[in-house]
Amino acid sequence: MAEEVTARAPELARPHVIRQDWRDLSFLHWAVDPDEIARFFPPGTRPDTFEGLTYVGLVPFRMVDSGLLQGPPVPWLGTFLESNIRLYSVDTTGRRGVVFLSLDADRAAVVAAARSTFGLPYRWARMRHEQRGDLHTYTSTLRWPGTTASSTVVTRIGRRLEPGPLEHFLTARWGLHVARAGRTWYLPNEHPAWVLREAAQERFEDNGLLASVGLGELSKRPPDHLAFSDGVPARFGRPTLASTPRPPVLR
């Protein structure tokens, strides 16, 4: 049975490993049939669903002051732009999480470290973020061998959005699933509850970005859901095997 969707993170077991600030996030989501994307999920996980559908997310944002929890933020390398394409997962123990199909960043050293340490599908890209009033513009051009892709996302942000069950399903995710060394791992995180804002798509140009992860059909239609957040500070704990039983819920 899947764990309950909660707006607030469960207590993160120690030791805490990494801290990050996620800022100026645009959330673009497409609803899809879970059977259409089940092939993308690591062993021991499956698409998580909301009212019979699952979702593909495109999330461009700024990463700020990333570093090890016991030390200062990493100078220069700890602050960069990122854009990820993600799916929503649940494992055999009921843990809900995300599965990343890509994480594009404009720091080559960050890409190399994340790929080698965590097995995450980071890719190097040339990226830019610009804010003018209530408009946020994110541009990305991959600089990755064998892949040609670029994108432009322009989001107009509005008033505060009172999150409902779907918003919690899409954003209240307290870990990620990743296949590494022949096993599926779960990397937990925690952060304050999201403060979301309404968002409108002013412009979305996809020149091969969704196709680069095998989801090019989605670029033919607009997102089904949009939202924006000014951001949250986040912390990550130590990874565990996704098959590890969940601790009991204390009530």
Side-chain angles (χ1 to χ4, degrees):
M1 182 176 178
E3 63 187 354
E4 183 181 358
V5 175
T6 60
R8 296 192 178 276
E11 184 177 356
L12 188 66
R14 295 183 181 274
H16 303 162
V17 180
I18 296 172
R19 71 173 184 277
Q20 300 173 335
D21 276 3
W22 305 334
R23 299 184 187 174
D24 297 326
L25 303 94
S26 285
F27 295 95
L28 289 71
H29 281 101
W30 290 261
V32 298
D33 186 318
D35 291 339
E36 294 180 1
I37 61 171
R39 68 188 186 277
F40 293 113
F41 286 76
T45 69
R46 66 183 187 277
D48 198 3
T49 60
F50 179 85
E51 297 183 347
L53 296 172
T54 191
Y55 285 79
V56 176
L58 171 61
V59 186
F61 68 103
R62 295 191 300 124
M63 182 84 76
V64 177
D65 290 343
S66 182
L68 298 177
L69 201 65
Q70 302 304 320
V74 179
W76 190 71
L77 287 177
T79 296
F80 53 92
L81 299 177
E82 181 175 313
S83 181
N84 61 62
I85 299 174
R86 69 192 204 176
L87 311 177
Y88 297 91
S89 53
V90 60
D91 62 33
T92 55
T93 76
R95 289 186 186 89
R96 287 185 147 109
V98 299
V99 169
F100 289 108
L101 297 184
S102 65
L103 302 104
D104 300 337
D106 64 348
R107 293 280 189 264
V110 170
V111 169
R115 290 181 69 90
S116 62
T117 302
F118 297 108
L120 292 169
Y122 267 88
R123 306 182 298 186
W124 187 28
R126 183 172 64 250
M127 309 181 81
R128 183 179 178 183
H129 169 259
E130 182 179 4
Q131 178 182 2
R132 291 187 177 180
D134 59 357
L135 284 179
H136 285 258
T137 300
Y138 315 80
T139 60
S140 176
T141 302
L142 278 182
R143 308 178 71 179
W144 198 244
T147 305
T148 301
S150 63
S151 66
T152 299
V153 175
V154 182
T155 302
R156 183 179 297 278
I157 59 176
R159 61 188 179 182
R160 182 165 175 169
L161 171 64
E162 187 63 35
L166 177 57
E167 284 77 27
H168 290 316
F169 176 86
L170 295 173
T171 62
R173 294 277 155 169
W174 310 118
L176 65 90
H177 291 106
V178 61
R180 177 70 166 162
R183 296 179 172 184
T184 300
W185 297 83
Y186 180 78
L187 179 62
N189 70 68
E190 68 174 10
H191 56 72
W194 290 101
V195 176
L196 298 175
R197 300 174 69 175
E198 294 178 347
Q201 178 187 302
E202 292 292 310
R203 180 181 170 196
F204 175 50
E205 294 182 5
D206 176 11
N207 298 305
L209 181 64
L210 288 164
S212 73
V213 297
L215 294 170
E217 287 296 314
L218 294 183
S219 64
K220 299 177 182 179
R221 59 182 175 94
D224 298 292
H225 187 276
L226 293 99
F228 179 88
S229 177
D230 294 318
V232 292
R235 296 188 294 183
F236 285 84
R238 187 168 55 187
T240 61
L241 288 173
S243 57
T244 303
R246 286 186 289 138
V249 178
L250 301 178
R251 298 188 183 277

